[in-house]
Amino acid sequence: MMLPSSSDLHGNERFDLTIRGGRIVTDGRVVEGDLGVRNGCIAAIGGSLPPGKRDIDATGRWVLPGGIDSHCHVEQRSGMGMMCADDFYSATVSAAFGGTTTIVPFAAQHRGMSIPEVLADYSQRAAEKAVIDYGFHLILANPDEQALGVDLPQAIRDGINSIKVYMTYDKMKLDDYQLLDVMALARQEQALVMIHAESNDMIRWIAQRLIERKLTAPKYHSVAHDPLAETEAAYRAIALAQLVDTPVLLVHVAGRDTIEVIRQARQLGANVLAESCPQYMFLKAEDMDRPGLEGSMFCCSPPARDEASQEAVWQGLIDGTLSTYSSDHAPYRFDESGKLPNGDATTFKEMANGVPGIELRLPLLFSEGFLKGRMDIHQFVALASTNHAQLYGMSPRKGAIVLGADADIAIWNAERETTVTASMLHDNTGYTPYEGRTIRGWPEVVISRGRVVVENDQLQVERGSGQFLRRGAPALQGHLPQRAVERPQGRVLKALIGLDKEGQ
Ligand code: DUC
Ligand code: ZN
Ligand code: ZN
């Protein structure tokens, strides 16, 4: 994504907006001073600027890039046919109130649907409702000849530069052969493959036995989704990706052993990236052990684990084993539309998988990561925003406060203390797994392309005012391991994957 030319930024005309006296995090530095916005872009950083058409006082506040949430499910039907609780309006409003100015949700292909039909449908719904900018990843459930040969390359050219594939869920999963096909295509077309890594057969085998024994309560979800199901699939995905020399990103990584596999693979030079999410740092498997079906409100896949895994996720985010921190917002109501499709008789196999988190993602990390001293403000910004922009082809326009970038800004009050309740949030889930938690720090003013989106706890923009982002190729430099593996592929395999044009 390109920045505007310097003539668009300079000039004597007044700034449209001047943000005064904040602590601006820009390019690895903290600059105290003013920030000027013109034509929706950042036009001046630091020093003392003349009055703008509008001034916002940020004295004593952090002025940070708006967050980017590169993994959230919005107005999407699950593989089981359940519609999530948020549409593009409620999800983007909720994201904005939590300091996020860009989301990249999924356009989900289910078997029997064509890719152009899926993209047209999601594009229309988002354009009518989104209040902040958005792109799409494509969920690919049917990698047939038409998809791989025609539709997917076209989608990538149209700015959908990332593809999510599933190794589990009977109606979504690809087999290893199909995964190799998708990875090889992504290599050729410069797209990033995002992988939901869990072993379908391990989960199915355990679940079958649990159900036969009538062990159906929500807590058995985490028994069925044994940590080894994630670790085995992660290892397999990495091996497949290495075979065809394609970088891949493992999404929503939950378990300590999986993180260790990723760390070791990276140390050996494998081009694997990974993401984690608040549920794996702030929730545990035992949260699903509640009376009746209440535990379903904490059910996601992979499930949250234990304290050792929570610590491993923190460590992975801090040491760079995990590059992005996303919400995996997958909102389902605690009723027949989501968590309880069969009412009181719902088993753990039937309840919708997913937890909400689009609004609390950044406040949780700011409070528990930055303010508690686990990470510095630059690590917070990288995990909240910059890394997402780079990996998903939105940099330099998004993800950083630099001259010429979109003026996507969140002004954080580090003193504000909030006790979380579902009713203060703006999504449609009707509950939050973080009910009653105390959080310090809140993004009080949120700005997208120079437009004030949230101020005084009120939404300030119209539905449909967000814009579609046509993303570019992933920018992976700095995120992949330093050490490249020289794999001893024979010439024939090298030729098959395009490493050796001459071979055969
Ligand atoms: N798991 C998924 O794979 N998708 C949505 C939410 C979840 O928990
Ligand atoms: Zn997933
Ligand atoms: Zn997801």
Side-chain angles (χ1 to χ4, degrees):
M1 282 188 154
M2 305 286 287
L3 296 183
S5 69
S6 56
S7 56
D8 291 335
L9 300 174
H10 298 298
N12 297 324
E13 217 185 295
R14 279 206 296 169
F15 292 113
D16 299 322
L17 175 67
T18 304
I19 299 171
R20 300 220 162 272
R23 247 174 274 152
I24 307 165
V25 175
T26 167
D27 217 8
R29 292 173 304 134
V30 178
V31 173
E32 305 249 356
D34 301 346
L35 185 151
V37 174
R38 192 178 278 131
N39 298 329
C41 297
I42 295 168
I45 302 169
S48 183
L49 299 175
K53 293 178 194 158
R54 215 206 127 177
D55 281 14
I56 292 179
D57 181 14
T59 312
R61 307 285 194 254
W62 287 98
V63 178
L64 306 182
I68 301 178
D69 192 345
S70 60
H71 185 159
C72 48
H73 302 266
V74 179
E75 219 173 308
Q76 184 194 321
R77 213 168 271 291
S78 73
M80 309 254 288
M82 253 101 81
M83 183 49 112
C84 49
D86 280 311
D87 67 8
F88 282 95
Y89 183 70
S90 58
T92 53
V93 170
S94 187
F97 272 90
T100 291
T101 50
T102 299
I103 60 168
V104 192
F106 300 92
Q109 182 197 39
H110 295 284
R111 292 182 189 144
M113 294 177 179
S114 83
I115 292 172
E117 161 195 3
V118 168
L119 289 175
D121 175 32
Y122 277 85
S123 301
Q124 190 196 335
R125 288 186 280 139
E128 284 165 5
K129 299 173 202 158
V131 301
I132 55 172
D133 294 351
Y134 58 92
F136 292 113
H137 314 287
L138 183 76
I139 288 179
L140 183 67
N142 185 18
D144 61 11
E145 240 176 75
Q146 174 70 23
L148 294 174
V150 182
D151 296 339
L152 203 45
Q154 183 59 47
I156 295 168
R157 283 194 290 276
D158 291 340
I160 318 281
N161 289 68
S162 37
I163 307 149
K164 182 178 179 191
V165 289
Y166 287 86
M167 296 172 80
T168 189
Y169 297 130
D170 288 336
K171 295 197 170 147
M172 305 299 289
K173 78 176 277 286
L174 307 192
D175 62 28
D176 292 356
Y177 189 102
Q178 292 171 314
L179 290 172
L180 286 168
D181 269 348
V182 175
M183 290 173 185
L185 181 80
R187 183 180 196 286
Q188 190 183 307
E189 302 289 336
Q190 289 198 290
L192 187 60
V193 183
M194 307 161 73
I195 303 182
H196 179 131
E198 285 189 290
S199 158
N200 198 49
D201 284 340
M202 282 192 197
I203 295 168
R204 250 176 8 109
W205 191 90
I206 305 170
Q208 174 69 26
R209 279 149 186 79
L210 289 167
I211 300 283
E212 278 165 14
R213 288 165 180 71
K214 308 227 172 336
L215 302 175
T216 61
K219 67 178 176 184
Y220 293 108
H221 175 76
S222 69
V223 178
H225 289 245
D226 189 274
L228 274 174
E230 185 191 45
T231 310
E232 182 278 329
Y235 181 83
R236 184 157 36 102
I238 295 168
L240 295 172
Q242 279 194 279
L243 187 78
V244 290
D245 189 44
T246 308
V248 288
L249 185 142
L250 303 181
V251 291
H252 49 49
V253 171
R256 183 188 60 175
D257 292 349
T258 307
I259 294 169
E260 206 38 50
V261 163
I262 295 166
R263 183 176 286 111
Q264 286 180 16
R266 286 172 59 87
Q267 277 163 6
L268 292 171
N271 284 335
V272 56
L273 300 153
E275 164 204 86
S276 197
C277 319
Q279 46 273 40
Y280 305 117
M281 296 140 84
F282 302 106
L283 303 179
K284 292 188 189 153
E286 66 198 42
D287 287 314
M288 278 186 280
D289 189 4
R290 297 196 175 217
L293 294 174
E294 267 177 45
S296 65
M297 291 190 276
F298 298 81
C299 161
C300 53
S301 288
R305 304 289 185 199
D306 57 6
E307 211 172 304
S309 284
Q310 290 181 330
E311 265 317 301
V313 172
W314 277 108
Q315 192 49 43
L317 289 170
I318 290 161
D319 71 20
T321 304
L322 306 171
S323 301
T324 51
Y325 166 78
S326 312
S327 68
D328 194 5
H329 180 73
Y332 293 101
R333 295 184 67 83
F334 186 59
D335 63 24
E336 299 198 350
S337 69
K339 292 293 182 183
L340 310 173
N342 290 323
D344 290 346
T346 303
T347 70
F348 74 85
K349 277 303 276 175
E350 295 153 346
M351 60 199 186
N353 287 198
V355 292
I358 204 164
E359 190 162 340
L360 291 176
R361 172 183 76 112
L362 296 182
L364 284 165
L365 192 70
F366 192 88
S367 175
E368 305 306 300
F370 169 53
L371 290 180
K372 293 218 168 134
R374 284 178 183 263
M375 61 183 64
D376 67 23
I377 195 67
H378 303 291
Q379 284 174 301
F380 172 82
V381 164
L383 290 167
S385 185
T386 318
N387 292 356
H388 304 256
Q390 293 172 349
L391 298 187
Y392 293 108
M394 294 177 273
S395 180
R397 207 181 125 189
K398 301 285 188 192
I401 296 183
V402 290
L403 289 180
D406 282 1
D408 290 357
I409 292 163
I411 304 178
W412 286 76
N413 176 357
E415 306 302 325
R416 178 155 153 185
E417 202 167 277
T418 305
T419 301
V420 173
T421 60
S423 60
M424 63 173 261
L425 300 174
H426 297 81
D427 65 306
N428 272 335
T429 319
Y431 75 88
T432 166
Y434 308 104
E435 184 80 30
R437 248 183 185 277
T438 304
I439 285 179
R440 267 187 62 215
W442 199 266
E444 291 186 328
V445 182
V446 180
I447 296 164
S448 152
R449 281 180 285 103
R451 306 169 304 136
V452 176
V453 178
V454 175
E455 193 179 26
N456 302 325
D457 296 322
Q458 299 295 324
L459 184 72
Q460 309 284 345
V461 295
E462 295 298 312
R463 62 199 279 135
S465 56
Q467 287 182 358
F468 171 69
L469 294 166
R470 203 187 165 97
R471 295 176 294 119
L476 305 181
Q477 312 87 296
H479 296 286
L480 294 176
Q482 297 296 319
R483 178 174 153 201
V485 244
E486 242 329 294
R487 274 203 3 94
Q489 292 118 326
R491 287 196 73 192
V492 176
L493 178 55
K494 278 191 170 166
L496 291 177
I497 61 181
L499 274 174
D500 178 354
K501 300 270 181 272
E502 306 291 309
Q504 299 288 327

